[in-house]
């Protein structure tokens, strides 16, 4: 049997996982290890997956994408989710499986990703939202947040929005969508781009909160971006509010 390359779309609640990427030798649970354990069981040989994004501990996904190659996969591709899901933990689901060309790579073939950061804006935190939202009880000017978000659009050097101590060769990224959407007490920040720096979306959310709290004016976003100075941007908000929504190819 020839080697097949199979793409999976995966959703998970990241609360109890130490991120997506395997942490060999640590004993800490990861989403990658859970997927590989089930795939290896079904294939009756070791299977490794490639993930589109290395979501951090506590970060969720509704549209994570992985691919794996296997020369002994006998399950019809479209039935792969039905075979995997009963064996996976209840907080991980395979939503879709499809065959892809041999040169498809979940990470390097991606052209855009969309993340959502969710804030619960109410004096009292809902216990049903506590694992999926950042709680902000203070008064927020969401109009200022929406204005500030527009300065993120386009191609910029986003060094100000990168976690310190995580060097990369190039900190230039292109943002196609930066939108603040209100749904009752929920405030969702959607960011779609061609790539993201480490903690970039969480720092963007923290900076937009700064604008909402009146600590910076929306137009100051332009200076924060141009400064390439992490100190001027907002705090890195907690991981629980972040969700990888979609990966595009």
């Amino acid at each position: 049997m020839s080697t097949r390359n199979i793409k999976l779309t995966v959703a998970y609640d990241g609360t109890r996982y130490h991120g997506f990427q395997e942490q060999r030798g640590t004993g800490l649970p990861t989403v990658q290890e859970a997927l590989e354990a089930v795939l290896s069981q079904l294939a009756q040989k070791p299977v490794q997956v490639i993930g589109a994004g290395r979501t951090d501990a506590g970060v969720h996904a509704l549209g994570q994408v992985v691919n794996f190659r296997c020369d002994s996969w006998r399950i019809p591709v479209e039935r792969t989710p039905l075979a995997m899901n009963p064996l996976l933990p209840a907080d991980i689901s395979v939503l879709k499986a499809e065959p892809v060309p041999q040169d498809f790579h979940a990470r390097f073939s991606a052209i855009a990703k969309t993340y959502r950061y969710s804030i619960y804006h109410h004096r009292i935190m809902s216990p049903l939202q506590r694992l999926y939202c950042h709680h902000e009880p203070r008064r927020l000017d969401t109009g200022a947040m929406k204005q500030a978000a527009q300065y993120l659009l386009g191609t910029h050097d986003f060094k100000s929005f990168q976690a310190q101590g995580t060097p990369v060769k190039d900190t230039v990224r292109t943002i196609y969508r930066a939108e603040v959407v209100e749904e009752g007490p929920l405030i969702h920040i959607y960011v779609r781009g061609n790539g993201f720096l480490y903690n970039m979306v969480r720092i963007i959310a923290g900076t937009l909160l700064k604008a909402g709290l009146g600590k910076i004016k929306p137009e100051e976003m332009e200076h924060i971006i141009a400064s390439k100075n992490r100190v001027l941007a907002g705090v890195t908000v907690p991981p629980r509010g972040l969700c990888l929504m979609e990966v595009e190819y």
Side-chain angles (χ1 to χ4, degrees):
M1 183 180 285
S2 62
T3 300
R4 309 174 82 176
N5 192 11
I6 298 173
K7 171 189 172 191
L8 305 178
T9 304
V10 183
Y12 51 84
D13 177 336
T15 302
R16 72 181 188 92
Y17 294 98
H18 199 74
F20 174 83
Q21 191 175 18
E22 64 178 351
Q23 309 279 335
R24 286 193 187 279
T26 65
L28 297 167
T30 67
V31 177
Q32 181 177 356
E33 287 169 328
L35 290 170
E36 289 179 347
V38 169
L39 288 168
S40 300
Q41 180 182 341
L42 292 170
Q44 298 184 325
K45 66 186 299 183
V47 174
Q48 289 187 309
V49 303
I50 297 165
R54 300 172 181 177
T55 54
D56 288 341
V59 175
H60 315 291
L62 288 173
Q64 172 72 284
V65 172
V66 307
N67 72 289
F68 69 95
R69 293 179 175 86
C70 186
D71 60 6
S72 61
W73 194 256
R74 302 185 185 280
I75 298 165
V77 173
E78 69 277 4
R79 294 187 64 82
T80 297
L82 297 176
M84 291 184 68
N85 287 335
L87 303 175
L88 284 167
D91 47 12
I92 302 175
S93 291
V94 176
L95 305 178
K96 185 180 181 183
E98 51 197 306
V100 284
Q102 287 299 323
D103 63 353
F104 177 87
H105 188 287
R107 183 179 174 196
F108 297 130
S109 300
I111 58 171
K113 295 176 187 172
T114 299
Y115 283 93
R116 181 187 71 195
Y117 195 86
S118 298
I119 298 160
Y120 195 77
H121 182 221
H122 192 276
R123 188 171 57 85
I124 298 168
M125 182 60 177
S126 165
L128 300 183
Q129 298 289 350
R130 75 193 190 285
L131 302 178
Y132 311 106
C133 295
H134 173 54
H135 183 212
E136 180 50 75
R138 293 171 289 183
R139 185 185 298 276
L140 286 176
D141 180 348
T142 52
M145 294 174 68
K146 292 174 183 179
Q147 276 183 270
Q150 296 308 297
Y151 289 93
L152 298 164
L153 295 172
T155 302
H156 306 284
D157 187 330
F158 283 99
K159 192 172 183 180
S160 295
F161 299 89
Q162 178 191 22
Q164 291 178 321
T166 54
V168 292
K169 288 181 181 179
D170 184 13
T171 50
V172 174
R173 299 291 186 272
T174 301
I175 298 300
Y176 309 115
R177 179 191 181 193
E179 188 176 7
V180 178
V181 178
E182 298 174 76
E183 294 179 8
L186 290 171
I187 299 171
H188 298 302
I189 298 167
Y190 289 92
V191 187
R192 176 176 174 262
N194 68 348
F196 294 92
L197 303 168
Y198 184 55
N199 281 351
M200 181 171 160
V201 179
R202 289 165 58 192
I203 296 169
I204 284 174
T207 310
L208 294 181
L209 273 174
K210 250 181 125 172
L213 291 165
K215 295 182 178 180
I216 59 168
K217 295 177 180 177
E219 55 269 25
E220 287 181 61
M221 287 290 283
E222 194 168 17
H223 172 63
I224 292 169
I225 294 168
S227 73
K228 304 178 193 175
N229 184 349
R230 170 69 187 92
V231 174
L232 297 184
V235 299
T236 306
V237 286
R240 61 180 171 269
L242 187 61
C243 184
L244 174 56
M245 301 295 287
E246 183 183 9
V247 185
E248 298 169 58
Y249 295 92

